[in-house]
């Protein structure tokens, strides 16, 4: 059974940092791309970042470029999202998702992903 479990969210002041973790089970990261998404109240789910170890690719949405870093530890089947210089507008529930790379799709599109975690809340106070 494919499962994704996020952790690492919390409350932080503006300018602070958090590291989110996404532990995958039931598959290996070599065969999937892992995306991080976020959803704030009243807003659509937004693609934040994506990593694919199969082609060593990383992607970021413009608003987090230079502040967030995605990485993976395939031995631990875990993907991380290091978030620095956090802003109040980063406040959202953050989800990780798995794309089995079996069909065309865009990394920022939630429809590309087949499996989702339960989410972890990130709150940035001003």
């Amino acid at each position: 059974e494919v499962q994704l479990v996020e952790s690492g969210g919390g409350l932080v002041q503006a300018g602070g940092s958090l590291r989110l973790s996404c532990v995958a089970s039931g598959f290996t990261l070599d065969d999937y791309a892992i995306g991080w998404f976020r959803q704030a109240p009243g807003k659509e789910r937004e693609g934040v970042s994506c990593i694919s170890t199969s082609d060593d690719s990383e992607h970021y949405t413009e608003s987090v470029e230079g502040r967030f870093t995605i990485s993976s530890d395939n031995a631990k089947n875990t993907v991380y999202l290091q978030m620095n210089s956090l802003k109040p507008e980063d406040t959202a529930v953050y989800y990780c998702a798995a794309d089995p790379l079996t069909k065309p799709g865009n990394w920022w599109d939630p429809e590309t992903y087949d499996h989702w975690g339960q989410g972890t809340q990130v709150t940035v106070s001003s």
Side-chain angles (χ1 to χ4, degrees), residues 4-116:
L4 299 167
V5 179
E6 304 98 333
S7 63
L11 173 63
V12 65
Q13 289 188 332
S17 298
L18 285 173
R19 188 177 79 157
L20 305 184
S21 299
C22 172
V23 179
S25 59
F27 67 98
T28 61
L29 295 181
D30 290 337
D31 300 327
Y32 282 71
I34 301 296
W36 282 100
F37 288 77
R38 64 187 180 188
Q39 189 164 21
K43 294 189 176 181
E44 293 186 354
R45 193 165 294 192
E46 173 192 24
V48 175
S49 183
C50 177
I51 189 167
S52 177
T53 56
S54 64
D55 62 0
D56 289 327
S57 65
E58 297 177 10
H59 305 278
Y60 300 92
T61 192
E62 185 175 354
S63 63
V64 308
E65 281 268 19
R67 298 189 298 123
F68 291 10
T69 303
I70 194 169
S71 62
S72 68
D73 184 338
N74 285 25
K76 295 182 178 179
N77 233 33
T78 300
V79 172
Y80 303 98
L81 186 68
Q82 178 67 43
M83 306 186 297
N84 298 330
S85 302
L86 282 162
K87 304 176 181 180
E89 51 263 44
D90 295 318
T91 295
V93 178
Y94 283 70
Y95 301 88
C96 65
D99 169 16
L101 301 174
T102 56
K103 59 185 185 299
N106 296 311
W107 75 265
W108 62 86
D109 182 356
E111 296 296 320
T112 300
Y113 298 81
D114 289 356
H115 307 284
W116 291 81

